[in-house]
Amino acid sequence: MTVRLTMSQALVRFLDQQWVERDGQETKFVAGVMGIFGHGNVTGIGEALENEEHSLPFVRANNEQGMVHAAIAYAKQLDRTRIWACTSSIGPGATNMVTAAATATINRIPVLLLPGDIFADRQPDPVLQQLEHPGNATVSVNDCFIPVSRYFDRISRPEQLVPAMLNAMRVLTDPAATGAVTIALPQDVQSEAFDYPDSFFARRVWRIGRTPAETRTLFDAAAAMRAWKRPLIVAGGGVHYSDATETLANFATRHGIPVAETQAGKSAMIWTHPMSVGGVGVTGTLAANRLAQQADGILVVGSRLSDFTTASKSFLSTPQQQRIHINVDRADAMKLDAMPLLCDARTGLETLDALLGDHATSSEFQAEVAELRSSWIEEVDRLYNLDTTDGDLPQTAVLGRLNHALGENDVIVCAAGSLPGDLHRLWRPAATKSYHLEYGYSCMGYEVAGAFGAKLAHPDREVWALVGDGSFLMLHSELVTALEQGVRIHVVLFDNRGFQCIRGLQQSQGSAGFGNELHHAIDFAACAEALGVTVFRARTLAELDAAIAAARESTTATLIEVKVDRDSMTHGYESWWRVGVADVSRNENVTRAATAMRQRVQQVKENS
């Protein structure tokens, strides 16, 4: 049996019938469609969404990159078990999504992108917004999506939709292969009809299984871990995505192993757990970084092991350290010459736990961990209580007041600037999934849209975007989307008058600072108020307390503007980050910094 539908109508009907199942629980996979209509999609997908029978809500966004960031945040917050599809017109509407596609793919987050494309039959070429390539008539701007998507297809005939969408779902629901999936939709094909088989629209359940590790490798890993005297666990985003947070906490307690966290892994452990030592790497805590340098064995769980986590491979990578990596992705699992345990994070931890039995680290080592934790807690307390009597507020003091005032289950969202470093070091998560950092791509402008997406995922939790003035200026249009949808989010805007973390990086490498600061004051609160947001200005910590309390009572989206000292961010804590420094320069400070960098690079190479 068949049914005659346009390609767009068939696409909408198919998306409405996709489900995922994990651990026996079935969840509708596609929550809805976000989009901005133009001539490239309004009469195709737009018509189908308007007139076809389906249960997919539509959210009209205000920036294509922002709507995809919202979809990423939604999927990330729900551990990749639900998505929003995102549709755009052709041309700039489509290419606006390319940055967000990279954000999704780098972070291993599923998102379905449906950009409009040029006419497949080429009759009106060149159509409005079409890029003409003189040497390749098949090229369109949507080819930009190919390197940043885990799966790409272009539907040049309506019947191609069937294999394309089955492949799209294969990738979207595969923990090891997921990321951005882009299905480019030519304008004419969107509206062309075809007799689709009824089976294409049957309710379809995609099982997200828990892959067990190979038995011999598991036994080898357990044997290795029994010999470790100073082990460290590095918890990545895979701990969240596999619902392994409780398993990890129990594993660390039973075996006496401290747990450090990547940005994606943070809040896998609540900060009061006796084995939680916080963030590791360039933005890590002193406790975690010292343990990482001194560890003889490292168990990585679900991490990409980026340069920030490994401190540009000055941590976690010496020949004296043995590494075991639990990951569903072989490429990630084998990084740093680790022993790969190719399995689901929760399954891997549970199996290792059974094999290790009652084996635990020594009481002396656990006492050392406790002492490092205690010293770091004192350091955070100091930074949270810095003097605030004169001028702009210290950033760490503002974070301390927020950390104290926000509810246990509140979610913070951040992505770029100096805030991710301070948050990774200092923030004390009291509940899992309360810390939401996009730091795989560290994409400026993610924060406000991400907060909107996180709030869609958790309407019962308060969501706070912590954003610098630079990121806010980059992209804050989804504040309007939140207002239009009646979704209340909170934005705390840290105004330090420019890109001060990059200025700090310049100065650390010999520069006096160039091209990173704003030289006139901006009233960000007034900007947000003009959009319809409820705004507050906090110039003291007491005013910040009052603003947070008032924001909780507001019925609409809120913004709290805080002026922070540009030099009040945290630094270092025995970490290192490699950047390119000019070998020759008219500035002697730069050439000295380049010499020091070359020496450190050589030292790391010799020790790796």
Side-chain angles (χ1 to χ4, degrees):
M1 298 289 290
T2 61
V3 56
R4 191 162 183 80
L5 298 168
T6 69
M7 189 225 74
S8 296
Q9 293 161 0
L11 173 60
V12 169
R13 189 175 293 194
F14 173 85
L15 292 177
D16 199 28
Q17 292 299 317
Q18 304 310 299
W19 293 69
V20 295
E21 180 265 312
R22 187 171 73 172
D23 299 333
Q25 181 175 347
E26 292 186 1
T27 305
K28 197 171 191 296
F29 188 57
V30 183
V33 179
M34 297 184 188
I36 297 177
F37 290 135
H39 70 281
N41 66 343
V42 69
T43 57
I45 291 180
E47 187 281 333
L49 289 169
E50 179 182 9
N51 297 312
E52 183 70 9
E53 290 187 8
H54 62 88
S55 62
L56 300 172
F58 178 75
V59 170
R60 187 192 68 81
N62 287 279
N63 178 280
E64 290 88 356
Q65 180 179 322
M67 75 182 177
V68 181
H69 281 162
I72 292 167
Y74 179 89
K76 177 181 174 74
Q77 202 64 27
L78 293 179
D79 297 331
R80 309 190 297 197
T81 60
R82 299 199 80 191
I83 67 166
W84 282 76
C86 296
T87 178
S88 77
S89 186
I90 71 169
T95 54
N96 277 352
M97 298 197 295
V98 172
T99 295
T103 305
T105 296
I106 287 171
N107 285 283
R108 314 322 200 233
I109 302 296
V111 64
L112 176 60
L113 308 181
L114 305 169
D117 210 329
I118 58 178
F119 281 79
D121 69 9
R122 304 187 191 174
Q123 179 272 322
D125 286 6
V127 71
L128 178 65
Q129 299 177 329
Q130 178 176 342
L131 171 72
E132 292 182 273
H133 192 294
N136 188 341
T138 68
V139 167
S140 85
V141 294
N142 285 353
D143 289 84
C144 295
F145 285 99
I146 294 173
V148 294
S149 298
R150 292 305 296 267
Y151 181 79
F152 176 90
D153 203 348
R154 179 177 282 114
I155 310 301
S156 58
R157 293 178 58 88
E159 59 265 37
Q160 292 173 353
L161 183 71
V162 176
M165 291 314 300
L166 294 176
N167 276 309
M169 287 299 301
R170 168 182 59 82
V171 174
L172 289 166
T173 59
D174 184 344
T178 197
V181 168
T182 302
I183 308 297
L185 305 176
Q187 293 182 67
D188 48 348
V189 181
Q190 286 184 48
S191 300
E192 290 177 4
F194 179 74
D195 294 322
Y196 288 93
D198 287 340
S199 59
F200 184 55
F201 308 111
R203 187 178 187 273
R204 198 179 300 265
V205 181
W206 301 80
R207 181 168 291 108
I208 302 176
R210 295 193 177 275
T211 306
E214 190 271 327
T215 302
R216 181 177 295 180
T217 309
L218 273 169
F219 277 97
D220 289 347
M225 291 185 68
R226 288 193 192 95
W228 293 350
K229 304 300 181 186
R230 303 181 58 81
L232 177 69
I233 296 172
V234 175
V239 176
H240 288 292
Y241 306 145
S242 64
D243 191 24
T245 54
E246 184 178 355
T247 305
L248 174 65
N250 293 337
F251 186 94
T253 300
R254 184 180 186 190
H255 304 296
I257 304 177
V259 177
E261 297 167 317
T262 70
Q263 286 280 20
K266 193 172 172 74
S267 81
M269 297 273 281
I270 61 173
W271 79 277
T272 54
H273 192 289
M275 288 294 118
S276 173
V277 293
V280 66
V282 176
T283 54
T285 72
L286 186 58
N289 286 349
R290 285 188 173 172
L291 288 166
Q293 294 175 74
Q294 298 166 9
D296 58 355
I298 298 155
L299 176 63
V300 182
V301 187
S303 173
R304 296 173 54 240
L305 291 176
S306 74
D307 65 335
F308 259 61
T309 298
T310 67
S312 296
K313 296 183 180 176
S314 62
F315 292 174
L316 313 176
S317 61
T318 66
Q320 295 77 27
Q321 294 174 323
Q322 188 175 21
R323 289 163 293 280
I324 299 169
H325 194 158
I326 300 173
N327 206 300
V328 293
D329 187 323
R330 181 180 291 273
D332 284 334
M334 297 185 70
K335 289 177 179 174
L336 301 184
D337 195 25
M339 179 190 301
L341 282 179
L342 299 177
C343 61
D344 167 79
R346 195 171 86 182
T347 300
L349 287 171
E350 289 173 346
T351 310
L352 279 178
D353 182 55
L355 291 173
L356 289 172
D358 293 329
H359 172 78
T361 58
S362 68
S363 57
E364 292 80 7
F365 177 66
Q366 293 187 43
E368 181 183 342
V369 172
E371 184 176 346
L372 285 168
R373 267 181 49 82
S374 178
S375 295
W376 183 250
I377 288 170
E378 291 179 5
E379 172 68 354
V380 175
D381 287 341
R382 181 187 72 81
L383 292 167
Y384 273 5
N385 291 283
L386 288 178
D387 179 39
T388 62
T389 55
D390 298 315
D392 294 336
L393 297 174
Q395 183 162 285
T396 60
V398 173
L399 291 178
R401 195 56 64 98
L402 283 165
N403 206 170
H404 175 76
L406 268 53
E408 179 178 293
N409 287 307
D410 288 8
V411 178
I412 62 165
V413 178
C414 191
S418 62
L419 282 169
D422 285 352
L423 290 168
H424 197 207
R425 290 190 183 99
L426 308 181
W427 195 260
R428 293 166 165 171
T432 57
K433 301 300 292 186
S434 61
Y435 182 94
H436 182 123
L437 261 284
E438 186 290 291
Y439 213 60
Y441 210 34
S442 187
C443 189
M444 294 181 71
Y446 175 91
E447 296 89 342
V448 172
F452 173 65
K455 183 66 174 180
L456 290 178
H458 292 303
D460 57 332
R461 299 174 76 169
E462 298 290 336
V463 178
W464 304 77
L466 309 189
V467 57
D469 54 301
S471 271
F472 186 82
L473 286 172
M474 285 272 185
L475 185 60
H476 58 266
S477 54
E478 299 332 296
L479 267 174
V480 175
T481 309
L483 291 167
E484 289 280 323
Q485 296 296 318
V487 174
R488 187 186 69 166
I489 60 173
H490 308 292
V491 177
V492 183
L493 191 148
F494 291 68
D495 181 8
N496 62 8
R497 299 171 185 81
F499 305 152
Q500 300 300 347
C501 74
I502 300 302
R503 168 181 161 271
L505 174 61
Q506 282 180 310
Q507 293 180 324
S508 73
Q509 303 304 321
S511 170
F514 167 73
N516 282 304
E517 296 190 89
L518 289 171
H519 297 293
H520 74 285
I522 298 175
D523 190 338
F524 292 99
C527 294
E529 190 170 35
L531 298 177
V533 175
T534 301
V535 303
F536 307 91
R537 295 174 174 86
R539 302 295 178 261
T540 67
L541 292 180
E543 291 177 353
L544 179 60
D545 288 339
I548 294 168
R552 287 187 175 278
E553 298 301 318
S554 174
T555 57
T556 64
T558 70
L559 181 141
I560 303 172
E561 182 194 72
V562 186
K563 303 291 186 183
V564 295
D565 186 330
R566 68 177 187 173
D567 296 315
S568 59
M569 63 194 76
T570 60
H571 300 279
Y573 294 103
E574 299 185 2
S575 68
W576 173 68
W577 189 35
R578 182 179 177 180
V579 294
V581 185
D583 282 340
V584 294
S585 173
R586 293 179 180 179
N587 184 336
E588 292 182 359
N589 292 328
V590 172
T591 56
R592 281 194 292 268
T595 299
M597 182 64 70
R598 286 194 299 272
Q599 291 172 345
R600 186 62 191 275
V601 169
Q602 184 60 34
Q603 181 185 27
V604 170
K605 288 181 177 179
E606 291 172 355
N607 293 335
S608 296

